Amino acid sequence: MKVSLEGKRVVLVPYISGHVPKYHSWMQDPALLEATGSEPLSLEQEYEMQISWTQDPNKRTFIVLDKDLIEGDLGHGEPHVEAMTGDVNIYMNDVDDSKVAEVEIMIAEPTSRGKGIGKESVLMMMAYAVKNLDIHTFTAKIGDSNTASLSLFRKLGFEDSSHSEIFKEVTLEYTVTNLRRAELLKSLDDVITHSHSSDNKSDSLLTGKAIA
């Protein structure tokens, strides 16, 4: 069983095979590759990566849909490629503490930037992680020249933790205090959660009604 999360400006949906071609086209952009620290992949490799991300128990990935770009009614379980604008991820790879999660956000479509979509997506992902995965600390690793992302995370309350001269990267940290936990969980009052399931290991389809 998987979920999509519907907020005010965005819908976060599971990364399914129908998203791969557009995602692959994004990752041909050298600027996005540099910003995300990624290597260019073939389309076939991108499909393989999508499956591996879906099956990885230590990773959660959502494709970000810009609600302004959705054509017709919102069909949960449908890829809505026309509204794809980026992705948001968390990685739980800390060997000493499984409740520490690294957050990553990419808004790939220039027309969707500057609308608060990145901020809402990160906050929705963090709230989801606190509620469902009991995450108590979030981190973010951002290139020191990526001023827009650094500004976003600092405004959200992340604090600089370290700087790598070698990788030209800033690590930021956000501790989930009791007050912050309550605020994040309260924010879910305005988010609709839609449940999905599928026989396909890499895809998820809507089976059930939306619940607030």
Side-chain angles (χ1 to χ4, degrees), residues 69-103:
L69 302 179
I70 293 174
E71 296 176 357
D73 294 332
L74 177 62
H76 293 281
E78 297 297 322
H80 283 292
V81 174
E82 78 283 354
M84 286 177 64
T85 193
D87 71 334
V88 60
N89 310 276
I90 57 171
Y91 308 87
M92 294 156 285
N93 294 328
D94 190 310
V95 295
D96 298 317
D97 192 339
S98 63
K99 302 304 181 182
V100 174
E102 179 183 344
V103 188

Side-chain angles (χ1 to χ4, degrees), residues 51-172:
I51 293 173
S52 71
W53 284 4
T54 302
Q55 296 176 345
D56 187 344
N58 295 320
K59 181 180 176 72
R60 299 292 187 277
T61 296
F62 288 102
I63 291 294
V64 179
L65 302 183
D66 183 337
K67 291 180 76 172
D68 289 342
L69 302 179
I70 293 174
E71 296 176 357
D73 294 332
L74 177 62
H76 293 281
E78 297 297 322
H80 283 292
V81 174
E82 78 283 354
M84 286 177 64
T85 193
D87 71 334
V88 60
N89 310 276
I90 57 171
Y91 308 87
M92 294 156 285
N93 294 328
D94 190 310
V95 295
D96 298 317
D97 192 339
S98 63
K99 302 304 181 182
V100 174
E102 179 183 344
V103 188
E104 189 177 83
I105 178 74
M106 175 182 74
I107 302 301
E109 292 292 334
T111 56
S112 293
R113 295 172 186 160
K115 298 168 60 175
I117 284 176
K119 177 181 179 180
E120 184 176 10
S121 299
V122 171
L123 286 174
M124 285 170 62
M125 174 62 97
M126 290 171 64
Y128 168 84
V130 166
K131 180 178 180 180
N132 296 281
L133 304 170
D134 201 27
I135 299 300
H136 63 67
T137 302
F138 292 97
T139 64
K141 296 180 179 179
I142 302 170
D144 56 16
S145 63
N146 191 342
T147 55
S149 286
L150 287 169
S151 176
L152 167 63
F153 279 87
R154 286 167 178 158
K155 287 178 180 178
L156 290 176
F158 282 72
E159 298 181 348
D160 292 27
S161 173
S162 63
H163 178 263
S164 170
E165 289 290 347
I166 296 175
F167 296 106
K168 303 296 182 184
E169 185 177 75
V170 180
T171 297
L172 303 98

